[in-house]
Amino acid sequence: MHNVAGLPVRKPRQCLSLNSTECLLKFASLIVVLFLVGAAWADDAKKLGEPESLSVLYYVDSSAQLVPLESQVVRRIAMYHALGFAGATTAYAVKGERSPVRLKAASKREFVIRLEGSLDPLETVQFYHVNGVNGSRVARIANFDVLDRPSNPKPNPTVVDFNAAKYGVSSFKLVPIQTLAAGEYCLLIKTGSNWPKTVPGFCFGIDVSGN
Amino acid sequence: MKLGWAAPVLALLFITVGWAQEEKPFEPEYSSVFYYLATARQPVELERQPVDPIYKGKTFLYVIPSEKSPVRFSAGDDLQFIVRVTEDFEKAAATIQFFRFEPLNEKRQLLLKKSDFISNKSSLKLETQKYGQFSLKIVPSTKLAPGEYCISRTTIRQGYCFGVDATPADVGARPADSRAQ
């Protein structure tokens, strides 16, 4: 076989078996390329949808989509007993007895938040089970006697314990340790070095399956 | 040379495979959760307990249910713990606190001056060092005497507890109180 210039053209050798060094190296190169393409593809697949805004909480649904929670302003209030003569209870309160965001009861719940810098979500987020009281949702946090001294509280049943793990590049997923029972919940975000009287909160309700 | 390009590709393959197979130290998935780092077996999560203080004047009283932790070690064990942190290591190390609790009336109790607790002065002595990419390794500065202990951070509301039991050799030879560290 000759080309247009009349020079002989070398027929490409077909690698039907791996009995030559050239074919062996070609095969190895192909494997390497496939490996690198696969690794890059797997890395892409691992990328998770992260919140765009800082300190906004989302629920992660079963298809890994971020579902916004009810955004609220949470106020710290004092509820006086016998006009204060029997002490008081401080609590966090949110308007409305029921969140418009409803989730079905399920064994696994995950929430996602993007935090500024290197904040620890266990320090920055507090997770409460709240109860409907007189048109509000309330989480009791401490009791005080008539002299405003903290009185002996029992372990706070309204606190929901959770774990936090890295999610994507700059977010965290929050995973409650216990299955969440039906009811109303709010997650509070610390905005400064202390917990001020009003903080942003993200609320939702869980309905019993089938409701 | 026709095949010259294949050599670096192959070298890259071997380097990549070697790197992937390199043994990485265990690091916890969750931040601020403490594990006992065992040398010969899987890390063990310590007993997790909420630690909300009871206020008593200028002191905090911490109460944990049951006199003994279900997580037990022997007085001779080399105890080292790891915790994943999100902050830089120096800042995180300053938040680690370690206390000995007294068993009393089917509970473990600890009474601390409020000011000491806030400044983290009353913690038992610990050595901390960076571990892996995101974690801290924590080692008590001296061998722990038999008793009940909890390790925590000033920034969280959970304590991670365990107990240390006397070894048969220790029985009869009373060990030094770890609080004297």
Side-chain angles (χ1 to χ4, degrees):
Chain A
M1 190 190 284
H2 295 80
N3 64 10
V4 288
L7 298 170
V9 174
R10 190 176 154 197
K11 191 180 174 187
R13 233 189 319 160
Q14 286 187 327
C15 285
L16 297 176
S17 64
L18 299 176
N19 53 7
S20 77
T21 313
E22 187 180 354
C23 288
L24 191 65
L25 286 172
K26 274 185 180 172
F27 180 72
S29 307
L30 181 67
I31 297 290
V32 170
V33 169
L34 286 176
F35 172 79
L36 293 175
V37 168
W41 178 80
D43 197 41
D44 262 3
K46 268 198 281 184
K47 280 182 188 160
L48 298 164
E50 288 187 64
E52 284 184 13
S53 306
L54 291 170
S55 302
V56 177
L57 263 153
Y58 293 83
Y59 165 65
V60 187
D61 71 11
S62 53
S63 56
Q65 296 298 307
L66 301 184
V67 178
L69 299 177
E70 176 198 5
S71 177
Q72 276 281 4
V73 174
V74 183
R75 292 164 295 121
R76 195 172 66 220
I77 58 166
M79 298 188 295
Y80 295 100
H81 309 301
L83 299 172
F85 291 107
T89 298
T90 55
Y92 285 118
V94 176
K95 279 184 187 168
E97 285 196 10
R98 199 176 147 88
S99 172
V101 176
R102 312 304 303 171
L103 308 178
K104 288 236 156 51
S107 57
K108 196 182 172 195
R109 297 265 167 232
E110 288 184 356
F111 303 88
V112 167
I113 187 168
R114 186 179 193 133
L115 289 175
E116 191 178 6
S118 58
L119 290 173
D120 183 352
L122 266 78
E123 184 185 3
T124 312
V125 179
Q126 291 194 353
F127 198 157
Y128 288 102
H129 187 182
V130 293
N131 294 308
V133 178
N134 298 331
S136 296
R137 279 161 281 168
V138 170
R140 292 165 199 272
I141 47 176
N143 295 316
F144 294 86
D145 65 16
V146 67
L147 298 175
D148 212 23
R149 294 174 305 197
S151 55
N152 293 351
K154 291 170 188 153
N156 194 337
T158 62
V159 172
V160 177
D161 197 3
F162 62 92
N163 278 321
K166 195 90 177 149
Y167 185 87
V169 178
S170 44
S171 304
F172 290 94
K173 71 172 175 187
L174 314 182
V175 186
I177 288 176
Q178 307 283 343
T179 302
L180 298 180
E184 302 296 319
Y185 295 87
C186 288
L187 294 109
L188 279 54
I189 313 294
K190 189 176 172 182
T191 49
S193 55
N194 286 313
W195 287 89
K197 281 196 170 174
T198 56
V199 290
F202 296 89
C203 303
F204 62 94
I206 290 191
D207 296 321
V208 180
S209 296
N211 282 6
Chain B
M1 187 181 167
K2 273 185 185 176
L3 300 177
W5 58 272
V9 171
L10 274 177
L12 185 66
L13 173 69
F14 291 128
I15 289 167
T16 309
V17 170
W19 176 77
Q21 286 178 341
E22 196 176 289
E23 202 170 311
K24 288 181 181 169
F26 165 84
E27 288 198 67
E29 180 187 5
Y30 297 122
S31 61
S32 296
V33 176
F34 289 79
Y35 290 80
Y36 164 63
L37 187 59
T39 46
R41 57 193 168 102
Q42 284 292 306
V44 178
E45 189 174 337
L46 301 177
E47 177 199 7
R48 180 173 178 144
Q49 288 283 355
V51 282
D52 284 323
I54 295 169
Y55 303 93
K56 283 185 173 270
K58 290 183 177 175
T59 59
F60 285 149
L61 176 65
Y62 289 89
V63 180
I64 293 173
S66 89
E67 285 194 358
K68 278 191 161 191
S69 170
V71 179
R72 313 299 306 171
F73 301 111
S74 293
D77 288 347
D78 280 327
L79 294 179
Q80 46 185 13
F81 307 98
I82 47 168
V83 62
R84 186 181 182 116
V85 296
T86 58
E87 311 96 317
D88 70 63
F89 291 102
E90 274 185 30
K91 191 177 169 192
T95 67
I96 306 293
Q97 51 186 0
F98 184 37
F99 298 114
R100 181 175 173 165
F101 280 65
E102 295 302 328
L104 188 69
N105 299 332
E106 296 182 0
K107 292 183 175 85
R108 283 163 278 172
Q109 302 196 1
L110 170 70
L111 192 66
L112 285 177
K113 273 189 193 168
K114 206 186 279 184
S115 56
D116 285 353
F117 177 78
I118 290 165
S119 58
N120 200 13
K121 275 183 187 167
S122 42
S123 171
L124 301 178
K125 296 278 183 294
L126 297 163
E127 310 291 336
T128 52
Q129 63 186 78
K130 190 180 170 193
Y131 182 84
Q133 211 178 339
F134 305 105
S135 304
L136 279 178
K137 183 162 93 172
I138 301 146
V139 183
S141 296
T142 57
K143 291 270 183 200
L144 297 181
E148 300 300 316
Y149 297 88
C150 293
I151 189 165
S152 182
R153 302 186 62 189
T154 53
T155 52
I156 63 172
R157 301 169 73 162
Q158 297 83 15
Y160 291 84
C161 306
F162 61 91
V164 174
D165 295 320
T167 57
D170 290 332
V171 177
R174 193 181 292 258
D177 189 339
S178 66
R179 282 172 299 178
Q181 290 166 41

